[in-house]
């Protein structure tokens, strides 16, 4: 029997669900996966009925109730400590960039929503989204230089990478111009088995879950 459940939204679109799902799988928690299709306006009643903050992801595990991605990250690290770096200073760095991702980059989110099944090259660019992209590239470059890559904190895909994985997905869809360093990181994340599995499962979702606002955005 599963030890809990993870409630997520449509895999094709839900960037926050992707983060929580990756974290739970990295920690190898035994939970049932519950997918609730998104309604497109943030008002999915089925999600409001089960999640304390009316959002996804939402984790229940061994009596714990956990919402918000950073809380899920910390919970998962209690079961697999090396999801954050072992070294104190590196761990502080990883938590800082994960928190910056959690709190920021709204312009990028709005201009380039996640859609794993489409490509909109050259679109979504405005001064604010490009400024967000420049900051993300700087975060990646510093971490990759400091810890040697191919992932942000070194050889292993960890919680910081889970936080930035949906950004990778956005870049693959909207195809902004990126540095060679950023392109290499995008390729490494996309090739990770868990990310590849998420993409495959997103592609298998029912056609009736498609939302026009994401499939035919105003470009």
């Amino acid at each position: 029997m599963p030890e809990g459940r993870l409630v997520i939204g449509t895999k094709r679109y839900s960037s926050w669900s992707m983060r929580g799902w990756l974290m739970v799988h990295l920690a190898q928690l035994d939970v049932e996966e519950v997918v609730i299709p998104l309604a497109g306006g943030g008002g999915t009643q089925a999600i409001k009925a089960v999640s304390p903050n009316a959002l996804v992801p939402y984790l229940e595990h061994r009596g714990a109730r956990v919402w918000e991605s950073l809380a899920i990250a910390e919970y998962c690290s209690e079961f697999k400590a090396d999801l954050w770096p072992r070294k104190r200073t590196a761990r502080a760095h990883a938590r800082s960039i994960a928190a910056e991702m959690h709190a920021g980059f709204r312009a990028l989110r709005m201009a380039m929503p996640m859609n794993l099944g489409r490509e909109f090259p050259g679109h979504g660019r405005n001064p604010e989204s490009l400024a967000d992209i420049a900051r993300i590239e700087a975060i990646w470059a510093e971490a990759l230089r400091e810890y040697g890559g191919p992932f942000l904190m070194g050889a292993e895909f960890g919680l910081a990478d889970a936080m930035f994985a949906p950004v990778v997905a956005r870049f693959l869809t909207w195809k902004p111009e990126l540095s060679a360093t950023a392109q290499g990181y995008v390729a490494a994340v996309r090739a990770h088995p868990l990310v590849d599995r998420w993409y495959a499962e997103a592609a298998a979702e029912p056609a009736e879950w498609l939302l026009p606002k994401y499939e035919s955005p105003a470009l």
Side-chain angles (χ1 to χ4, degrees), residues 12-32:
R12 186 179 181 97
Y13 307 131
S14 183
S15 58
W16 291 105
S17 294
M18 185 182 190
R19 293 181 173 99
W21 185 93
L22 288 170
M23 294 168 183
V24 165
H25 281 272
L26 287 168
Q28 299 178 327
L29 303 187
D30 180 15
V31 295
E32 175 190 8

Side-chain angles (χ1 to χ4, degrees), residues 105-121:
F105 308 114
R106 184 177 186 276
L108 174 65
R109 303 180 205 276
M110 299 299 293
M112 301 182 183
M114 193 171 94
N115 182 335
L116 302 191
R118 298 293 304 278
E119 293 184 357
F120 305 110

Side-chain angles (χ1 to χ4, degrees), residues 88-106:
R88 176 182 54 83
T89 55
R91 189 165 61 252
H93 189 174
R95 283 176 163 146
S96 294
I97 61 176
E100 185 174 353
M101 179 68 254
H102 188 273
F105 308 114
R106 184 177 186 276

Side-chain angles (χ1 to χ4, degrees), residues 190-212:
R190 178 62 183 87
H192 189 275
L194 284 176
V195 174
D196 193 54
R197 176 179 163 187
W198 177 272
Y199 264 80
E201 293 178 3
E205 289 177 334
E208 56 265 30
W209 290 4
L210 298 178
L211 295 173

Side-chain angles (χ1 to χ4, degrees), residues 31-87:
V31 295
E32 175 190 8
E33 182 178 307
V34 179
V35 180
I36 299 177
L38 300 181
T44 305
Q45 291 301 317
I47 294 175
K48 289 182 176 181
V50 297
S51 173
N53 65 345
L55 298 171
V56 287
Y58 169 53
L59 174 65
E60 296 175 347
H61 181 254
R62 297 185 185 177
R65 301 165 65 243
V66 197
W67 58 98
E68 291 291 349
S69 295
L70 286 180
I72 293 174
E74 294 296 347
Y75 184 79
C76 288
S77 73
E78 295 180 20
F79 292 86
K80 192 173 181 183
D82 59 1
L83 294 179
W84 291 124
R86 295 283 184 158
K87 186 178 178 182

Side-chain angles (χ1 to χ4, degrees), residues 145-193:
R145 181 174 61 251
E146 179 73 18
Y147 306 108
F151 300 110
L152 292 177
M153 309 311 296
E156 300 298 325
F157 186 102
L159 294 170
D161 302 292
M163 287 298 296
F164 280 95
V167 174
V168 166
R170 284 179 161 89
F171 288 172
L172 289 169
T173 295
W174 295 87
K175 301 189 182 306
E177 294 178 1
L178 299 174
S179 68
T181 297
Q183 290 176 23
Y185 178 67
V186 165
V189 170
R190 178 62 183 87
H192 189 275

